[in-house]
């Protein structure tokens, strides 16, 4: 293999570490490094030197360690083998992250366990090329943002779980409200992950949580959303769950002909005692009472056409005057007298006029 005269970066833009494919070098080889890169010279598995931006000649003047590692023939020129790694030190701003599986977290407001997913992006910059190479790159030919995302997945998944759980407990909020805390949550996660990545020579520039979601088909999520929707409906209409149950009881009693007025009125009194509301609710009950017949057949009454006395609905003859209420014919032995005030004919045995109340 021919000795390389000029070495420069030929990798992809989103690669953090790239190894030059040819290891046949010479003390006259030119190394070209851009301003956003650093180059590392590796010999025998050890880092000999790190080169910043510019053009460098790999001779003993620039690489003092070469004096001990290569034999210099006449003219102070000699070939040697070594690895050249280019480290991209530019900002990479769009590394995507996400939780591979839902995180089971208990909602502090409603007590149910919900599966939470989170995702977002983060940006990094290689702050220490030597440390980054030794701890992460090792013998891989390239190291891109996919590998770095995979490498730190365990870190950010654990930190995301802890941060979201702590926010639920600290702020006492439901998972439905967590999206309003994205900025605070993102900053908290950055502070938690930064020292871990810094130990690998990687600076965490930013860490953003873009979305926190739950599966819509989860039974716990569906139940909770349904209950919250019902509560919102009640608040809009202006009543609560206890009132709704009482309304259901009144409606059921109205539809049930065997229900007694005492039990139904007891339900109505329970509503009035259980709800501290003003005249608005009283008006509602007043209107309902007009529409609902709460009188059972056993206690229903009717008015006698003859003497206007109120007798049980099931009674055929008037107990006051003896009038046949079904045939609407008078009994032959019934005697009548006339009220002196309103001239109404009433039974001779009546003491008061059923129409005007005059004493007879």
């Amino acid at each position: 293999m021919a000795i390389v005269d000029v070495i420069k970066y030929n990798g992809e833009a989103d690669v953090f570490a790239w190894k030059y494919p040819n290891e046949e070098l010479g003390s006259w080889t030119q190394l070209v490094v851009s301003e956003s890169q650093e180059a590392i010279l590796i010999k025998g598995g050890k880092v000999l030197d790190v080169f910043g931006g510019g053009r460098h000649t790999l001779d003993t003047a620039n690489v003092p360690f070469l004096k001990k590692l290569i034999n210099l023939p006449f003219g102070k020129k000699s070939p040697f083998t070594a690895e050249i790694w280019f480290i991209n030190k530019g900002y990479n701003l769009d590394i995507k992250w996400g939780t591979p599986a839902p995180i089971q977290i208990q909602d502090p407001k409603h007590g149910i366990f919900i599966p939470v997913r989170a995702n977002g992006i983060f940006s990094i910059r290689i702050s220490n090329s030597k440390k980054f190479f030794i701890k992460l790159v090792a013998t891989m030919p390239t190291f891109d943002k996919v590998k770095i995302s995979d490498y730190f997945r365990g870190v950010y998944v654990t930190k995301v779980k802890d941060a979201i759980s702590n926010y639920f407990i600290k702020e006492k909020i439901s998972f439905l409200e967590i999206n309003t805390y994205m900025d605070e949550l993102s900053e908290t996660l950055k502070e938690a992950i930064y020292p871990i990545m810094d130990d690998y020579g990687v600076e965490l520039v930013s860490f953003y949580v873009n979305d926190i979601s739950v599966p819509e088909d989860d039974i716990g999520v569906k139940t909770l959303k349904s209950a919250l929707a019902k509560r919102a409906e009640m608040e809009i209409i202006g009543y609560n769950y206890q009132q709704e149950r009482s309304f259901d009881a009144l409606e059921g009693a109205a539809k049930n002909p065997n229900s007694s007025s005492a039990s139904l009125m007891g339900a109505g009194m329970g509503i009035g005692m259980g709800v501290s509301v003003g005249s608005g609710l009283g008006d509602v009950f007043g209107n309902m009472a007009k529409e609902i017949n709460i009188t059972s057949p056993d206690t229903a009454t009717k008015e006698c056409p003859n003497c206007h006395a109120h007798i049980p609905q099931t009674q055929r003859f008037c107990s006051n005057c003896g009038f046949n209420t079904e045939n609407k014919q008078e009994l032959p032995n019934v005697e009548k007298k006339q009220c002196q005030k309103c001239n109404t004919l009433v039974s001779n045995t009546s003491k008061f006029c059923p129409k005007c109340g005059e004493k007879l």
Side-chain angles (χ1 to χ4, degrees):
M1 183 178 292
I3 298 175
V4 181
D5 292 326
V6 178
I7 298 175
K8 61 181 180 179
Y9 182 77
N10 293 320
E12 301 293 333
D14 60 349
V15 172
F16 294 104
W18 179 78
K19 178 184 177 182
Y20 191 79
N22 193 348
E23 298 182 10
E24 299 296 325
L25 310 178
S27 57
W28 61 88
T29 299
Q30 300 291 304
L31 175 63
V32 179
V33 184
S34 70
E35 290 293 336
S36 61
Q37 297 174 338
E38 283 186 343
I40 300 179
L41 178 64
I42 309 294
K43 177 67 175 177
K46 294 183 178 180
V47 177
L48 297 186
D49 208 344
V50 178
F51 300 90
R55 181 181 287 268
H56 309 273
T57 301
L58 301 182
D59 56 16
T60 56
N62 287 332
V63 191
F65 292 103
L66 290 178
K67 292 181 180 180
K68 300 179 181 179
L69 298 176
I70 63 176
N71 296 319
L72 298 180
F74 297 102
K76 298 183 178 181
K77 302 257 184 204
S78 175
F80 63 94
T81 59
E83 299 177 15
I84 298 292
W85 282 85
F86 286 89
I87 307 298
N88 184 1
K89 300 198 68 176
Y91 290 94
N92 200 308
L93 305 177
D94 61 346
I95 305 176
K96 294 178 175 60
W97 66 269
T99 52
I103 306 169
Q104 292 293 330
I105 298 178
Q106 186 176 20
D107 190 301
K109 267 193 175 181
H110 308 100
I112 66 172
F113 282 90
I114 51 176
V116 174
R117 288 184 180 272
N119 64 75
I121 60 173
F122 64 91
S123 59
I124 64 171
R125 185 183 72 87
I126 307 303
S127 57
N128 189 316
S129 299
K130 185 176 180 179
K131 184 188 294 186
F132 171 71
F133 178 82
I134 294 174
K135 289 197 171 187
L136 285 181
V137 180
T139 59
M140 292 183 291
T142 60
F143 195 92
D144 56 17
K145 62 183 181 182
V146 175
K147 287 186 175 64
I148 204 166
S149 179
D150 292 342
Y151 192 89
F152 288 106
R153 176 177 289 124
V155 175
Y156 62 69
V157 167
T158 301
K159 296 300 180 182
V160 165
K161 180 180 179 180
D162 293 342
I164 295 177
S165 300
N166 290 336
Y167 254 87
F168 278 156
I169 297 172
K170 178 182 176 182
E171 304 294 338
K172 298 187 184 303
I173 58 175
S174 170
F175 76 94
L176 298 174
E177 305 166 336
I178 192 63
N179 285 319
T180 60
Y181 294 82
M182 289 298 191
D183 291 341
E184 295 90 337
L185 193 58
S186 297
E187 190 62 29
T188 299
L189 284 169
K190 178 185 175 183
E191 293 176 358
I193 300 174
Y194 184 94
I196 299 174
M197 300 185 77
D198 184 65
D199 191 48
Y200 290 86
V202 179
E203 177 188 359
L204 182 62
V205 180
S206 63
F207 192 95
Y208 295 109
V209 181
N210 289 345
D211 182 58
I212 296 177
S213 60
V214 295
E216 293 296 331
D217 58 348
D218 181 77
I219 184 65
V221 175
K222 293 170 65 175
T223 302
L224 179 56
K225 285 189 173 182
S226 176
L228 292 176
K230 184 65 175 177
R231 186 178 70 178
E233 177 187 354
M234 292 179 179
E235 290 176 352
I236 293 172
I237 296 175
Y239 64 96
N240 58 30
Y241 178 76
Q242 291 180 343
Q243 292 172 0
E244 183 190 31
R245 295 290 295 173
S246 300
F247 293 155
D248 292 342
L250 284 173
E251 183 179 3
K255 294 179 179 179
N256 183 7
N258 296 323
S259 63
S260 65
S261 60
S263 62
L264 187 57
M265 290 304 294
M269 292 177 63
I271 298 175
M273 295 176 64
V275 183
S276 300
V277 295
S279 60
L281 187 58
D283 294 338
V284 173
F285 282 111
N287 295 331
M288 292 176 61
K290 293 178 182 178
E291 298 177 0
I292 300 177
N293 180 14
I294 61 174
T295 306
S296 66
D298 296 337
T299 59
T301 61
K302 62 183 178 180
E303 184 178 359
C304 175
N306 181 50
C307 66
H308 305 289
H310 290 276
I311 61 176
Q313 182 73 36
T314 57
Q315 186 172 314
R316 178 178 179 181
F317 295 96
C318 176
S319 58
N320 187 43
C321 65
F323 187 82
N324 186 347
T325 58
E326 292 185 2
N327 296 330
K328 297 185 180 180
Q329 295 180 354
E330 297 183 66
L331 293 178
N333 59 348
V334 174
E335 296 183 1
K336 294 183 180 180
K337 57 185 176 181
Q338 189 175 26
C339 175
Q340 299 298 321
K341 186 174 181 180
C342 64
N343 298 323
T344 301
L345 292 177
V346 298
S347 172
N348 192 42
T349 59
S350 299
K351 297 181 179 180
F352 294 90
C353 176
K355 184 175 181 180
C356 65
E358 180 71 13
K359 186 175 181 180
L360 304 178

